[in-house]
């Protein structure tokens, strides 16, 4: 029994924080898991910048409302879901993911939760579990699934390396150079073909 585990941002939709950085003209918010492997450090850095600029959940959600899936992402997902089970594993937050899931046809997503004050200030966050993508892949394997995983960032490497088959997708040159053993693709057609070969 196979299940495909996909990252969300950078794979199916643009990076939310980069879109927000462009909207607010705050370049420091462009930093993502592609740049910073330590997620806790990255999120605390982001929360500090939001506080400094008086920005909260509403402002980020207003930006997210304007974000569209990457060209071809929904079609890719539809075709993949017709072939096998698909689970999106993301380090984003439930408060961010809703509108994007609607645009992608409501695939199943496992993500994290923001801690938000009554005033709308983001005060912290709760991870669903430690090393959430890797831990989830291992849990799926423990109940009889063979996992196939794909993502673009440092925080995807655990689930990719732990899976029966794993692929980098739209990743950085640095990550590709650091992991030459991982097949790397840049188009949905290539990724779909690679997954199809594993499922055959």
């Amino acid at each position: 029994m196979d299940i495909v585990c996909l990252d969300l941002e950078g794979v199916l939709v643009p990076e939310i924080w980069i879109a927000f950085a462009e909207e607010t003209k705050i370049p420091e918010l462009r930093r993502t898991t592609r740049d910073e492997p330590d997620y806790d450090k990255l999120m605390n850095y982001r929360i500090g910048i939001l506080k400094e600029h008086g920005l909260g959940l509403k402002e980020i959600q207003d930006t997210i409302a304007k974000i569209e899936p990457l060209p071809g992402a929904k079609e890719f997902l539809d075709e993949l879901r017709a072939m096998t089970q698909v689970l999106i594993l993301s380090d984003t937050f439930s408060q961010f993911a809703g509108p994007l899931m609607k645009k992608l046809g409501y695939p199943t997503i496992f993500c994290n939760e923001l801690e938000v004050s009554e005033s709308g200030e983001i005060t912290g966050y709760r991870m669903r579990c430690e090393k959430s993508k890797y831990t989830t892949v291992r849990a799926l394997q423990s109940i009889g699934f063979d996992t196939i995983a794909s993502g673009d960032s440092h925080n995807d490497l655990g689930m990719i390396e732990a899976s029966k088959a794993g692929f980098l997708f739209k990743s950085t040159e640095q990550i590709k150079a650091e992991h030459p053993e991982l097949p790397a693709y840049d188009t949905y057609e290539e990724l779909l073909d690679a997954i199809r070969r594993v499922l055959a």
Side-chain angles (χ1 to χ4, degrees):
M1 179 81 81
D2 292 295
I3 189 165
V4 174
C5 299
L6 295 175
D7 178 34
L8 177 66
E9 294 178 66
V11 173
L12 298 170
V13 303
E15 293 279 353
I16 290 167
W17 289 96
I18 290 177
F20 190 57
E22 286 168 2
E23 185 89 5
T24 57
K25 310 284 190 287
I26 302 171
E28 293 87 351
L29 287 173
R30 291 183 64 87
R31 197 162 176 74
T32 71
T33 50
R34 287 173 163 217
D35 314 298
E36 176 53 71
D38 185 331
Y39 193 71
D40 189 56
K41 186 175 169 185
L42 178 63
M43 272 310 298
N44 286 320
Y45 170 78
R46 287 167 169 167
I47 290 168
I49 292 169
L50 293 176
K51 193 178 181 72
E52 191 184 311
H53 291 270
L55 298 166
L57 180 60
K58 184 191 181 301
E59 289 80 7
I60 301 175
Q61 287 178 329
D62 288 346
T63 296
I64 292 168
K66 301 174 197 169
I67 294 175
E68 293 298 324
L70 293 169
K74 184 176 185 302
E75 294 76 7
F76 160 75
L77 203 50
D78 287 347
E79 198 167 339
L80 188 57
R81 289 167 76 192
M83 288 160 41
T84 188
Q85 297 294 310
V86 179
L87 179 59
I88 296 175
L89 298 182
S90 175
D91 278 339
T92 193
F93 305 96
S94 56
Q95 294 95 330
F96 291 1
L100 297 170
M101 293 306 99
K102 183 178 182 182
K103 291 174 183 178
L104 287 169
Y106 293 109
T108 300
I109 182 169
F110 288 1
C111 58
N112 304 310
E113 193 84 18
L114 286 170
E115 293 169 350
V116 185
S117 72
E118 282 183 24
S119 67
E121 182 189 348
I122 296 170
T123 55
Y125 68 98
R126 286 193 303 277
M127 297 295 277
R128 193 170 41 78
C129 56
E130 200 177 333
K131 295 183 182 170
S132 61
K133 298 181 186 191
Y134 170 80
T135 305
T136 303
V137 157
R138 283 296 195 211
L140 289 165
Q141 291 164 353
S142 77
I143 55 169
F145 285 99
D146 284 323
T147 59
I148 300 163
S150 185
D152 68 324
S153 296
H154 290 285
N155 63 338
D156 299 311
L157 294 170
M159 73 170 179
I160 290 171
E161 290 166 344
S163 291
K164 173 172 86 168
F167 311 104
L168 291 171
F169 185 68
K170 295 181 184 288
S171 192
T172 65
E173 291 308 316
Q174 185 189 340
I175 292 173
K176 287 193 271 194
E178 287 169 2
H179 295 274
E181 76 284 2
L182 297 177
Y185 302 112
D186 288 302
T187 71
Y188 291 120
E189 201 172 274
E190 291 171 327
L191 183 57
L192 206 54
D193 283 346
I195 294 170
R196 200 179 275 121
R197 286 194 297 272
V198 178
L199 294 172

